[in-house]
């Protein structure tokens, strides 16, 4: 069976309930990004930041409006 869940999900705070007070939002993120196969999670800014910088700011949202360069500058990533 194909694994359609984001490979970063085991350690991802979004996937694991950082938005516990916003259950509906977290579920929407999981449906749209984390559990939507590569075409989903490869559009997640968290996934892309980790891919580009090797880490992701804890509070970055999957649909952050910043570009990757802006994310790198704002959070002092390489
Ligand atoms: S798709 Fe994004 S939010 Fe979901 S587990 Fe992967 S990195 Fe985290």
């Amino acid at each position: 069976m194909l694994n359609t869940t984001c490979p970063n999900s085991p350690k991802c705070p979004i996937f694991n309930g950082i938005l516990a007070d916003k259950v509906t939002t977290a579920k929407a993120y999981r449906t749209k990004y984390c559990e939507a196969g590569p075409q989903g999670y490869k559009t997640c800014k968290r996934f892309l930041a980790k891919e580009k910088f090797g880490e992701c700011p804890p509070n970055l949202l999957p649909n952050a409006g910043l570009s990757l360069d802006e994310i790198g500058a704002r959070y002092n990533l390489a």
Side-chain angles (χ1 to χ4, degrees), residues 5-16 29-30 32-37 40-48 50 56 60-62:
T5 303
C6 174
N8 297 342
S9 62
K11 292 184 174 176
C12 181
I14 295 288
F15 189 82
N16 293 294
Y29 284 142
R30 284 204 298 271
K32 182 172 180 182
Y33 298 98
C34 320
E35 296 170 340
Y41 62 69
K42 287 189 175 180
T43 66
C44 170
K45 284 281 164 59
R46 294 191 58 84
F47 179 89
L48 293 170
K50 188 168 192 309
C56 177
L60 187 73
L61 292 177

Side-chain angles (χ1 to χ4, degrees), residues 22 44 54 69:
K22 297 178 185 165
C44 170
D69 285 344

Side-chain angles (χ1 to χ4, degrees), residues 14 17-30 59 61:
I14 295 288
I18 194 178
L19 298 173
D21 57 330
K22 297 178 185 165
V23 174
T24 309
T25 311
K27 187 170 187 297
Y29 284 142
R30 284 204 298 271
N59 59 346
L61 292 177

